[in-house]
Amino acid sequence: GTGSNILSALQDLFWLLKSKAEKQLQIISVLQWVLTFLIMGIACTLILMYILCTDCWAIAALYLAWLVFDWNTPKKGGRRSQWVRNWAIWRYFRDYFPIRLVKTHNLLTTRNYIFGYHPHGIMGLGAFCNFSTEATGVSQKFPGIRPYLATLAGNFRMPILRDYLMSGGICPVNRDSIDYILSKNGNGNAIIIVVGGAAESLNCTPGKNSVTLKNRKGFVKLALRHGADLVPVYSFGENEVYKQVIFEEGSWGRWVQKKFQKHIGFAPCIFHGRGLFSSTTWGLLPYSKPITTVVGEPITIPKIDNPSQNDVDFYHSIYVHSLIKLFDKYKSKFGLPETEVLEVN
């Protein structure tokens, strides 16, 4: 009896220690991505400049020479690595929240796609985990489809960071890059565009489901020019993982944010999550709230080399209707009341 009790106690202790270790690994995995998002580009640039001033300058010079040679690679589909996309760290990243990918329809490998991802949130954590890693099984759920998450082109001017992003299948969100993937990279490509961008990030806050979409029609025009089907995607919980100070329209804070957005491409947000060692303190770690990304039904888009404004407006209205329909169908399944309405700005 005593031996059995000791064995049971040891088993309980083992599972307790394993659970704590897994939680710490989850925190570390999310922290490294947050630091990558916020400071990796600037940090790598400064380190490279410092190395140029040391006895190891030749290493930095060789990398810079390679950078010049490789400059246009991000515009040509990048250089993804299945090894990086399958890192175990991304599974810990997924389980921290947790993040889940829901498939509602099959996608044909004979077509190309533009996914409109909503909402942006502070960092687009669901977009990254679902489409730039294999943690939620995107390749198994959509076999034969190659996802490319599009982000600010300025990130690909940063040394080291550009290579890290490309390894996950991330590309610049500019016309050259998207044109190349949709016209010179065969079929079965899916470009994920966070349509609301920086403007939408300024309004994200827990409990609010709103998207910046009314005047965002460039992605529809691109879809028409290439005959790429549009797919609405909504991520329930994306706005819940950080708390943000929202500046009112006309305030000095909103003026500064809009100036940054206009001239640099991103808007500085004042936000916080939880602390590194305690969920009751403030810090940079996101709150561990569930994020469920639902990929909707594809909208068949014809190929029109020079689409008119009427063409763009027509398919944009269909897209908006499909997104609202997707939100309404799944909102109650993921914790929202039936009375919740998606606000389209």
Side-chain angles (χ1 to χ4, degrees):
T2 302
S4 178
N5 290 337
I6 293 173
L7 182 60
S8 177
L10 288 174
Q11 288 176 335
D12 291 342
L13 179 61
F14 171 77
W15 288 113
L16 179 63
L17 292 174
K18 183 180 179 181
S19 176
K20 287 185 175 180
E22 286 185 350
K23 187 61 180 177
Q24 293 304 313
L25 288 171
Q26 291 170 10
I27 289 173
I28 291 169
S29 68
V30 174
L31 179 63
Q32 68 84 25
W33 170 245
V34 171
L35 294 179
T36 296
F37 182 91
L38 295 176
I39 66 171
M40 183 177 177
I42 295 174
C44 289
T45 302
L46 292 175
I47 291 171
L48 196 65
M49 292 172 62
Y50 170 76
I51 293 174
L52 279 171
C53 301
T54 68
D55 292 338
C56 297
W57 64 269
I59 297 174
L62 284 171
Y63 179 79
L64 289 173
W66 160 253
L67 194 61
V68 172
F69 174 78
D70 195 54
W71 191 253
N72 289 323
T73 298
K75 298 178 183 178
K76 297 180 178 180
R79 189 171 45 245
R80 73 173 57 216
S81 166
Q82 285 302 117
W83 175 66
V84 173
R85 287 174 61 87
N86 281 287
W87 277 354
I89 195 172
W90 306 131
R91 294 192 289 275
Y92 289 112
F93 183 100
R94 172 199 66 197
D95 293 340
Y96 172 84
F97 296 93
I99 295 173
R100 180 184 170 203
L101 180 65
V102 176
K103 170 186 174 180
T104 63
H105 291 78
N106 292 324
L107 299 181
L108 299 175
T109 58
T110 54
R111 301 285 292 174
N112 284 325
Y113 302 90
I114 293 180
F115 288 18
Y117 184 92
H118 314 268
H120 183 286
I122 295 293
M123 296 185 185
L125 294 164
F128 168 76
C129 184
N130 285 309
F131 301 112
S132 294
T133 79
E134 294 296 332
T136 55
V138 63
S139 293
Q140 286 73 44
K141 291 177 180 177
F142 300 103
I145 301 298
R146 293 180 298 277
Y148 293 86
L149 177 61
T151 188
L152 288 176
N155 289 325
F156 296 89
R157 301 187 188 102
M158 301 285 189
I160 310 300
L161 175 63
R162 67 189 292 276
D163 301 289
Y164 189 40
L165 295 178
M166 283 194 292
S167 68
I170 301 177
C171 68
V173 61
N174 58 31
R175 181 169 171 175
D176 289 344
S177 177
I178 294 172
D179 281 347
Y180 183 91
I181 293 170
L182 294 180
S183 64
K184 298 179 181 179
N185 202 43
N187 294 323
N189 302 293
I191 297 179
I192 298 88
I193 300 177
V194 186
V195 178
E200 191 172 87
S201 69
L202 297 178
N203 296 314
C204 68
T205 187
K208 186 174 183 180
N209 288 283
S210 66
V211 296
T212 301
L213 183 57
K214 279 184 180 179
N215 297 315
R216 299 294 175 105
K217 300 180 180 181
F219 73 105
V220 178
K221 189 173 184 178
L222 280 169
L224 285 165
R225 287 179 63 245
H226 294 284
D229 293 348
L230 289 171
V231 182
V233 179
Y234 198 86
S235 224
F236 295 90
E238 186 73 64
N239 284 346
E240 308 298 317
V241 296
Y242 279 111
K243 296 178 181 178
Q244 180 184 190
V245 177
I246 304 292
F247 292 103
E248 297 294 329
E249 289 292 340
S251 66
W252 67 270
R254 182 53 64 97
W255 179 84
V256 170
Q257 288 177 324
K258 286 188 173 181
K259 286 296 181 183
F260 266 84
Q261 178 190 337
K262 180 179 179 180
H263 297 292
I264 301 178
F266 74 93
C269 302
I270 299 177
F271 65 92
H272 74 84
R274 53 155 288 181
L276 181 59
F277 301 106
S278 171
S279 60
T280 59
T281 58
W282 287 11
L284 289 176
L285 277 177
Y287 294 104
S288 52
K289 303 288 186 179
I291 298 175
T292 305
T293 302
V294 184
V295 180
E297 182 178 3
I299 304 164
T300 303
I301 302 293
K303 189 178 187 303
I304 305 175
D305 291 334
N306 294 296
S308 67
Q309 191 59 49
N310 287 337
D311 293 327
V312 174
D313 290 343
F314 175 73
Y315 285 100
H316 181 268
S317 66
I318 293 176
Y319 178 86
V320 173
H321 175 75
S322 295
L323 178 64
I324 294 173
K325 182 180 177 182
L326 179 71
F327 177 84
D328 288 340
K329 181 177 180 180
Y330 288 93
K331 60 186 177 183
S332 60
K333 295 182 181 180
F334 303 118
L336 297 178
E338 283 290 347
T339 53
E340 185 73 18
V341 175
L342 180 62
E343 181 182 331
V344 180
N345 300 312

